Amino acid sequence: MKIVVLVKQVPEADKVAVDPETGTLIREGITSILNPYCEYALDEAVKLKNTHPEENIEIITISMGPPQTKMALLRCLELGADKAYLLSDRKFAGSDVWATSTALKEGVVNLEPEFDLILAGKQAIDGDTAQVPAEIAEQLGVPQITYGVKVQIVDKKVEVKREIETGYQIVSARMPALVTMSKGSNIRRIPSMKEVLNARKKPLEVLTADDIGIDENKVGLKASPTQVARIFAPPEKVGGEIIDGSDHIVAAKNLLEFLIVNNYIKE
Amino acid sequence: MVSNIIISQKEDCSPFEDVRAIKGEEAILSTHQDYCIDESKLAGGYADWLFFPKNERDIISIVNKMKEDKTPITISGARTGIVGSAVPTCGGAILSFDDMKQVKGISYDKDTQKYFVRIQPGLTLEELADILKYKRFSQEHNLDEEDWVQAFKKVERGHIFPVDPTEMTAAVGGSIAANASGGRSFKYGAMRPWVKHLRVVIESGEVLDIERGQYIAVNSKFIIKTSEKDIEIDIPTYKMPEAKNAAGLYAKPDMDLVDLFIGSEGILGIITEVDLWLIEKPEVLTNALFFKTEEDAINFVKKLRSIENLDIEYIEFFDKNAFNLLRSRRKTNPELANIDTIPEDTTTAIFFEIPFSDDTFEEIFVTLDEIATESNTSVDSGWSALDDNERDKFRKIRHAVPEIVNSIISKRKATYPNLHKLGTDMSVTDNHLQDIMTFYHQTLKETTLEYVIWGHIGDNHVHVNILPKNMEELDLGKQLYKEFAKKAVEYGGSVSAEHGIGKIKHEYLEIMYGEEGVEQMRSVKRKLDPEGLFNRDNVFSFTG
Ligand SMILES: Cc1cc2nc3c(=O)[nH]c(=O)nc-3n(C[C@H](O)[C@H](O)[C@H](O)COP(=O)(O)OP(=O)(O)OC[C@H]3O[C@@H](n4cnc5c(N)ncnc54)[C@H](O)[C@@H]3O)c2cc1C
Ligand SMILES: Cc1cc2nc3c(=O)[nH]c(=O)nc-3n(C[C@H](O)[C@H](O)[C@H](O)COP(=O)(O)OP(=O)(O)OC[C@H]3O[C@@H](n4cnc5c(N)ncnc54)[C@H](O)[C@@H]3O)c2cc1C
């Protein structure tokens, strides 16, 4: 069984800042990490591999990004992926969600046509659209299940526990299918020394658009129907109101009054 | 030419009125109170003057004027010190380095084939690290004709300053005056060996320009020629411990003059300019291994440091109690999530870092695998990290221990406002590592005291942190502290391996060097600063 995990390298979220004058990202000093939700997706794949030895699961990670994305892929190999592909080419630059999805779909079709399951993060912590996996599923014509927290393989089907507003839902689909992962019970694990060593011996291939036979008119800026008009930091929140808690009865009264006055609750 | 005689330089000074200053005790206490205290929280600091010099000329002007007015000066770095050495308990003037953060330049020494930076001492370690990381140098930073700035920028891996005290907001000047050190001091030593050159303003208002290697003691003497007199300095005769040490003045018969000022806690003069050596950033593998018993962990440490070609960067230790603290917070602190992946029967952790290249990686792994197995653990259950993001997770876990300790103490302070933790800072020689650890545990276990032990085990320098629950326990802890100091000295170590003596550890210095040793330090101070102009009551009490 083959599980493809789509992974994206992103700037570390809490450190990203927007230059208020130019409206561009301040990149100096920002380190790049493996998108946490992609890491959870990978961890879920590794769990499946460990719990289903009979399936002989192979985990393949694919990413599209600049050459330094190799670092994120190396991390995937440390955490248990068996092989990694990086789609890296100037022709991909400026891709929006649609073009990104096209490139990744072409990557999957060309590199791992026999895939059984695709796992992806529920969203990337930088772009945050949560649309890429959905579009890939559409382009591939496979079922998709989003916001998964636990994935199981039951009777050749994929069974996913997924988050919904009011709790959880369990959904299953025939394979091949695509599942996006939320956090679930996964953590961002620190690998062992052996895993770190072994990762450096696993295959990590960097491929261009030509290598996988992607039509260059389907990807990159030209093939992107949407454009980012402007990015800006949200206005800073003003400090809240602090209610003196030294007398709890008075404090409770004041809090009640505050909630009523501001229309948060009705009398 | 090498000599033990140095001639001080008379330099221009700024008009005193032009130096930025705040005058008056009230003004200082109302708006700049934090300049009267440091991280020791030692109370009683006050001052009539608070100066913000911009350069050496300003400092000379301040020194001349304060000398004339018989006003003592307390030199103030970033005040992260934890022994009260920057607290102006004698009043007078505070000389802050806040406005002296300039990077003067960068150059390359062809003999040693190393780069060095020239900076003002107010620059913090963190700021220095950033400047090096992002190579923030322009053409004006070339110290001589050759374009070393360009060459420096071309080195792809970049350069670092390798000494890494935990508190990176410390200023370089304060760190030199305290001879600070960090985890990496296991490999690189404390600040001392990285200081290539200092400029120091002495009590006469003149400047000593000291290049390492140029002024070496002869017959345990230095002669400093000022415009007024020849000062003959007798180097103290005590023998310094052969272990990490930041207690008292550096003293060796054939020592370098620059070493007299490094670690002197500012009692001999004011450092105004510094040259620091740099190294190319090494590629390192960061690891943590987990052990069932402390003995296993200590055996592992001994083996690890005995294998020279591993060239270990640092070795840090967490005992069972420290580990339990981490476990107790793993549900509430997301940064501790990985604690759950550690084998259940773990009691002790060792963190260490190894430089590697693609060629040596496999070999290192085999070696570590072997000594881990001999120490009853396995590299499979440990953690490793190759890149800076991953390393950051390790750092956060390591730092969580002191943070949890502090939060426990601050809760107890609600009931006992004067309660504080007791943190030891003692080192011993290599052969006494197991002895001192056994002594710490045995002594503490006989009491009800809560404690954790963690720290720089590579240098046989762990911090025993005692967490008293009430004032009686605090007193008991203080008694034990003294016992520990005596034992550390007995085991060839230091009563203060990194934090210094300052104003609160005088009695321990005496345990280490005796009254006579302290008296010899005092006489060096009297020769260089007879009126006690600089940093009174640091290292030993000032007797006018
Ligand atoms: C600052 C900024 C500037 C941008 N500028 C432009 C622009 O100029 N022009 C433009 O057209 N678009 C631009 N974009 C959009 C950018 O192309 C999207 O980030 C990209 O399409 C992915 O969408 P997402 O980040 O929302 O991913 P999501 O859909 O939120 O990601 C969900 C999951 O999809 C998978 N995935 C997403 N991207 C990849 C990838 N590259 N490789 C492998 N797997 C992936 C991962 O599993 C991920 O967890 C910009 C985005 C940002 C943040
Ligand atoms: C959380 C925490 C962790 C710490 N960890 C470590 C650690 O790992 N290792 C370690 O060694 N220390 C540690 N320390 C102690 C402290 O950070 C160091 O001693 C630090 O180097 C002091 O630098 P500073 O600039 O804050 O100096 P200050 O506290 O301002 O001053 C220290 C001494 O230097 C003198 N001084 C300052 N500038 C000059 C100058 N230009 N010329 C002459 N004298 C001067 C001062 O008068 C004073 O005597 C820690 C402190 C804290 C709060």
Side-chain angles (χ1 to χ4, degrees), chain B residues 81 83 85 125 161 163-165 170-182 185 188-195 198 212 240-241 243-251 258-266 271 276 425 459 461 494 496-501 539:
Chain B
V83 290
S85 56
L125 292 166
F161 178 67
V163 188
D164 61 338
V172 169
S175 302
I176 292 175
N179 192 30
S181 54
S185 297
Y188 301 105
M191 291 296 287
R192 187 177 300 285
W194 299 91
V195 178
L198 287 183
R212 184 178 285 284
M240 292 190 295
K244 196 169 167 189
N245 179 29
L249 294 180
Y250 187 90
V258 79
D259 285 324
L260 186 65
F261 291 92
I262 301 167
S264 69
E265 301 192 20
I271 300 165
L276 293 176
D425 178 32
D459 282 321
H461 168 216
S494 172
S496 179
E498 70 180 9
H499 296 152
I501 297 299
V539 191

Side-chain angles (χ1 to χ4, degrees), chain A residues 46-226:
Chain A
V46 173
K47 277 185 192 158
L48 289 176
K49 179 171 174 154
N50 293 339
T51 48
H52 292 278
E54 78 286 355
E55 295 283 359
N56 221 346
I57 293 177
E58 189 190 8
I59 302 173
I60 305 108
T61 51
I62 303 181
S63 185
M64 180 180 103
Q68 59 269 31
T69 309
K70 271 209 282 201
M71 285 308 287
L73 286 171
L74 192 59
R75 173 145 177 79
C76 293
L77 295 172
E78 289 174 358
L79 291 173
D82 297 300
K83 96 180 153 192
Y85 295 108
L86 172 60
L87 314 182
S88 193
D89 197 318
R90 283 187 179 281
K91 289 175 187 159
F92 298 135
S95 293
D96 69 354
V97 171
W98 177 253
T100 303
S101 308
T102 307
L104 287 170
K105 173 227 151 195
E106 292 289 328
V108 172
V109 168
N110 281 288
L111 299 165
E112 296 296 337
E114 306 281 284
F115 74 93
D116 298 282
L117 182 63
I118 298 177
L119 289 178
K122 71 164 178 179
Q123 73 199 79
I125 60 168
D126 59 343
D128 255 341
T129 66
Q131 292 169 358
V132 170
E135 284 182 12
I136 293 174
E138 284 306 305
Q139 293 201 35
L140 286 167
V142 300
Q144 56 173 299
I145 304 175
T146 51
Y147 301 104
V149 291
K150 190 173 172 59
V151 179
Q152 280 174 302
I153 294 166
V154 184
D155 298 336
K156 302 278 165 201
K157 281 186 172 174
V158 58
E159 186 181 285
V160 180
K161 180 175 170 188
R162 66 184 296 263
E163 287 171 340
I164 53 174
E165 280 81 1
T166 48
Y168 296 100
Q169 189 179 42
I170 293 179
V171 180
S172 71
R174 62 172 162 73
M175 292 196 277
L178 181 147
V179 177
T180 76
M181 285 298 295
S182 192
K183 182 171 184 311
S185 63
N186 294 309
I187 60 166
R188 289 163 73 188
R189 201 165 61 79
I190 303 176
S192 79
M193 201 179 294
K194 197 173 202 164
E195 289 172 316
V196 168
L197 178 73
N198 287 347
R200 298 167 80 86
K201 298 178 188 158
K202 293 178 182 173
L204 195 171
E205 267 184 74
V206 184
L207 304 165
T208 62
D210 287 348
D211 289 339
I212 44 172
I214 296 180
D215 178 351
E216 66 175 281
N217 294 316
K218 283 190 180 170
V219 293
L221 194 59
K222 280 180 295 182
S224 294
T226 58

Side-chain angles (χ1 to χ4, degrees), chain B residues 493-521:
Chain B
S494 172
V495 295
S496 179
E498 70 180 9
H499 296 152
I501 297 299
K503 299 188 173 73
I504 61 180
K505 292 195 173 172
H506 294 181
E507 63 174 316
Y508 306 118
L509 186 64
E510 213 167 299
I511 291 175
M512 193 163 140
Y513 287 144
E515 248 174 74
E516 194 196 337
V518 176
E519 205 41 53
Q520 289 178 343
M521 290 185 217

